[in-house]
Amino acid sequence: MPSPNNTDFSPSSFILSGTPGLEVACFWLAFPLCSMYLMAIVGNGAVVFIVKTERSLHAPMYFFLCMLAAVDLALSTSTMPRMLSYLWFDWREISFGACLLQMFLIHSLSAVESTVLLAMAWDRYMAICHPLRHATILTNPMTAKIGLAAMARGMLFFLPLPLLILRLSFCGSNVLSHSYCLHQDVMNLACTSIAANVVYGLTAILLVMGLDALLIALSYFMIIKAVLQLSSRKERVKAFSTCMAHLCVVLAFYMPLIGLSVVHRFGKGLTPLVQVVMGDIYLLMPPLLNPIVYGARTKQIRRRILRWILHH
């Protein structure tokens, strides 16, 4: 294993960390994290299975939900097994290539999830503001095209990140501050200029997550404006209640993302544990909460789960 203090470091591998001050408790911390991971796998897997097998759910809203669950499955699986192996077996070393692959998956899948959340906001906007045009514009083939575009957008925007890391020279410490690989974390270990990495990383975040957040906010402004024009309070509550689940998952995704970005760029004086906690929340909470929120708020999915439980 390379020494963390080696001044002539060749990036053949990195050393993962992630629990500063809590090293003694690593073994026990893995159990709640493993439980959260299993819950995320079961919950998102159930959403994908139910939407796929229940023909009454073959509509754009539920197809987008299925995409969101699939992305959450991929995102949590790209990080949690490696994190658990570190906590349980102290497997701290990760090869340079595996680190770049994990970095690409984390950032690109996060971008795909952001795009899917934007598509779901557009679906809610069309359903409430233009109900007569909703079914003709947002057809199932159009939904599939949006899903492919979301995947391509995430991959293309964040493919340059590992390529930009490859051009860097490393020296000094090879110890990462998380138990997984993030672009901001890896580039800060370089001993050459990281200006291109900083500029491109910030640009990609703003053009994908930043633009998506702005368009989602605009969609909800239009939705609220349309809902307030409804004649009765009952109609207003019913119309806006169809957006509550989506609004919850949007907040669960963007709030930790914003917090992690702020901590990485402006939290130099904070303890390392703050960065670790924010990073873990960013990766673990959306895959865990999304199926719970939609399972609780969506009557069709809730009924299908209860029927499946009763028959088994």
Side-chain angles (χ1 to χ4, degrees):
M1 180 182 294
S3 172
N5 296 317
N6 190 350
T7 57
D8 187 23
F9 167 54
S10 175
S12 59
S13 63
F14 292 104
I15 307 301
L16 300 171
S17 60
T19 53
L22 298 175
E23 289 80 6
V24 178
C26 279
F27 181 82
W28 301 109
L29 284 173
F31 286 98
L33 289 176
C34 182
S35 300
M36 293 172 67
Y37 174 56
L38 292 177
M39 290 173 63
I41 292 294
V42 171
N44 288 289
V47 169
V48 172
F49 176 77
I50 289 170
V51 173
K52 181 181 178 181
T53 56
E54 191 72 26
R55 295 190 63 84
S56 63
L57 301 181
H58 288 185
M61 173 184 172
Y62 300 106
F63 284 139
F64 286 136
L65 177 58
C66 185
M67 294 177 198
L68 187 68
V71 172
D72 282 336
L73 281 171
L75 184 59
S76 57
T77 301
S78 69
T79 55
M80 280 305 301
R82 192 66 185 80
M83 191 185 302
L84 291 173
S85 67
Y86 156 70
L87 293 173
W88 268 329
F89 308 111
D90 200 31
W91 292 348
R92 296 169 177 253
E93 188 173 15
I94 183 171
S95 69
F96 185 73
C99 186
L100 292 187
L101 176 60
Q102 187 183 62
M103 176 205 311
F104 171 67
L105 290 174
I106 290 173
H107 291 291
S108 61
L109 289 171
S110 297
V112 175
E113 180 156 352
S114 177
T115 308
V116 172
L117 290 174
L118 173 59
M120 296 172 80
W122 182 52
D123 171 71
R124 292 298 84 208
Y125 164 75
M126 291 297 297
I128 293 174
C129 299
H130 303 284
L132 299 179
R133 299 172 58 192
H134 178 262
T136 57
I137 294 178
L138 205 58
T139 60
N140 288 346
M142 175 60 73
T143 304
K145 291 177 182 177
I146 292 173
L148 291 174
M151 185 68 67
R153 183 181 185 229
M155 299 299 172
L156 291 175
F157 263 96
F158 288 93
L159 181 60
L161 292 188
L163 301 179
L164 288 170
I165 292 294
L166 285 172
R167 56 178 283 278
L168 297 177
S169 297
F170 293 84
C171 57
S173 175
N174 64 335
V175 180
L176 299 172
S177 59
H178 292 282
S179 48
Y180 45 84
C181 296
L182 290 176
H183 176 250
Q184 306 96 307
D185 205 8
V186 175
M187 74 178 184
N188 285 332
L189 298 179
C191 54
T192 51
S193 174
I194 60 172
N197 297 70
V198 173
V199 171
Y200 186 83
L202 183 59
T203 301
I205 289 289
L206 291 176
L207 289 179
V208 179
M209 284 76 159
L211 180 60
D212 291 349
L214 183 63
L215 292 175
I216 289 172
L218 179 61
S219 298
Y220 272 99
F221 173 78
M222 300 300 293
I223 287 171
I224 292 172
K225 183 178 177 182
V227 168
L228 292 177
Q229 291 176 350
L230 296 175
S231 56
S232 71
R233 182 177 181 275
K234 184 177 180 180
E235 288 178 338
R236 291 195 293 269
V237 171
K238 182 179 179 181
F240 195 71
S241 66
T242 62
C243 302
M244 289 306 298
H246 177 256
L247 189 58
C248 289
V249 300
V250 166
L251 293 175
F253 176 79
Y254 282 104
M255 294 304 290
L257 174 62
I258 294 171
L260 181 61
S261 299
V262 169
V263 166
H264 266 290
R265 284 172 172 79
F266 307 109
K268 301 299 182 184
L270 298 175
T271 62
L273 187 60
V274 175
Q275 288 190 12
V276 172
V277 171
M278 289 301 300
D280 290 347
I281 290 174
Y282 164 62
L283 287 178
L284 291 175
M285 293 309 292
L288 177 66
L289 290 179
N290 291 352
I292 295 175
V293 169
Y294 269 100
R297 296 288 306 178
T298 308
K299 183 166 40 177
Q300 294 89 332
I301 293 178
R302 189 167 64 247
R303 285 177 176 175
R304 185 67 175 80
I305 292 175
L306 290 174
R307 191 162 69 234
W308 185 87
I309 293 173
L310 292 175
H311 281 78
H312 291 78

